[in-house]
Amino acid sequence: MRHDEMVCTVSGSLVRAYRAGDGPELVLLHGGGLDSARLTWEPVWTALAAHARVTAPDLPGFGGTPLGTTEPTLIGYAAWLREFLDTCTTGPVAIAGLSLGGGIALRVALDQPDRVAKLALCAPYGVSPSVAGGRAGYLAVHAPYAPAASNALMRRSDRLLRAGLRAVLHRRDAVTAGLLAEVRAALSGPDAGVAWSAFQRDEVRWNGPRTCFGDELTHLACPALLLCGAKDTLVPPGDVRAAAALIPDARFALVPDAGHWLPRDAPERVAKELVSFLTSTAPTPPAP
């Protein structure tokens, strides 16, 4: 991943981000869990940086960015992203977001459409009317000490760590020794998973998620591309397809043999879709 590592100040706290390339501005937002900009976007970084000026921050509470004063909620992260865009970019930008990052990008694009030129969403948070795992998923999120205990077990067991990665990666060869080492290193941080657990506790309710954009998506003003892995067990492909159908200028693409962590499970297909979308000047074909 050839890049310039940069540090900027947003909401009074330092932010670690990566930048490379020239051309139209593209901001990449990673997902939740133990994710970071490098973990999600490294497999497609070179392809994207060949066509755009790419900036990829670690979200507050993830990677090398402390949570600081940011509220670990969708509204809190959206407010942070608006300030990040003011600090580190110029003019309307394209945003690509995975899962949590996709939900944050959607919130900003809906609230302040003048900030977002194009939106590429990989299995975005906020398009499903139900909680992953149902009532069992709710209990796993809200059970005292459960997230911390899960992280501790994965730190001690390669078998459990592999099982955790297999929940978001469909291809067995995507779970490499290098990836295991990177995730294990992320697990060793003193605040590993704290921001994500707080976000989940705020969003996951007994009767469903706090956020489901639903018909609000009909007001999205920019062109959008929505991708989902055919084997995604966290954000159902049908929910992503239905969301794309609500957006006036959107295209849906199903990625076969891929799970939730799309840039790692299907990097070539994801890079091809993103580059085609970002460089196209033609109207986006309607979602099938």
Side-chain angles (χ1 to χ4, degrees), residues 3-18:
H3 61 269
D4 293 325
E5 186 170 333
M6 55 180 281
V7 177
C8 58
T9 301
V10 178
S11 298
S13 296
L14 296 180
V15 174
R16 183 175 71 182
Y18 306 92

Side-chain angles (χ1 to χ4, degrees), residues 12-285:
S13 296
L14 296 180
V15 174
R16 183 175 71 182
Y18 306 92
R19 176 168 283 167
D22 292 303
E25 291 203 75
L26 168 64
V27 173
L28 303 178
L29 302 177
H30 62 76
L34 297 164
D35 206 359
S36 66
R38 281 182 60 90
L39 274 175
T40 279
W41 299 111
E42 185 170 28
V44 297
W45 182 262
T46 300
L48 297 180
H51 298 275
R53 184 174 187 255
V54 183
T55 305
D58 287 344
L59 293 169
F62 295 82
T65 301
L67 182 60
T69 60
T70 300
E71 287 290 330
T73 64
L74 193 66
I75 297 302
Y77 278 123
W80 175 89
L81 177 57
R82 289 192 291 269
E83 189 171 340
F84 177 82
L85 295 177
D86 287 342
T87 303
C88 299
T89 67
T90 56
V93 300
I95 303 178
L98 167 72
S99 196
L100 167 65
I104 297 168
L106 262 173
R107 184 70 275 157
V108 171
L110 286 165
D111 290 345
Q112 294 187 302
D114 58 314
R115 291 177 176 266
V116 184
K118 286 187 174 184
L119 202 54
L121 306 169
C122 299
Y125 178 73
V127 301
S128 294
S130 58
V131 171
R135 297 292 169 84
Y138 170 90
L139 293 173
V141 166
H142 289 279
Y145 311 114
S150 175
N151 287 350
L153 288 171
M154 287 193 291
R155 278 197 300 270
R156 292 169 172 78
S157 168
D158 271 2
R159 182 179 63 83
L160 290 177
L161 182 54
R162 284 183 179 274
L165 290 172
R166 290 285 297 157
V168 291
L169 291 165
H170 176 70
R171 288 192 305 108
R172 289 191 177 275
D173 61 349
V175 184
T176 63
L179 179 60
L180 283 169
E182 288 189 75
V183 175
R184 192 180 296 108
L187 277 165
S188 68
D191 296 321
V194 171
W196 175 238
S197 294
F199 177 86
Q200 287 187 299
R201 288 194 300 271
D202 183 69
E203 281 287 333
V204 176
R205 298 180 166 194
W206 183 250
N207 60 346
R210 177 189 293 273
T211 301
C212 182
F213 292 105
D215 288 342
E216 193 175 1
L217 295 173
T218 62
H219 302 296
L220 191 66
C222 65
L225 169 68
L226 283 78
L227 304 175
C228 192
K231 307 298 183 180
D232 193 331
T233 59
L234 299 182
V235 180
D239 292 347
V240 182
R241 185 191 297 271
L246 290 172
I247 297 171
D249 186 4
R251 183 172 73 84
F252 170 77
L254 186 67
V255 182
D257 298 319
H260 184 68
W261 207 355
L262 280 168
R264 282 205 164 263
D265 228 356
E268 292 184 2
R269 173 66 185 276
V270 169
K272 181 180 178 181
E273 291 282 357
L274 292 180
V275 168
S276 176
F277 173 65
L278 294 167
T279 58
S280 174
T281 57
T284 307

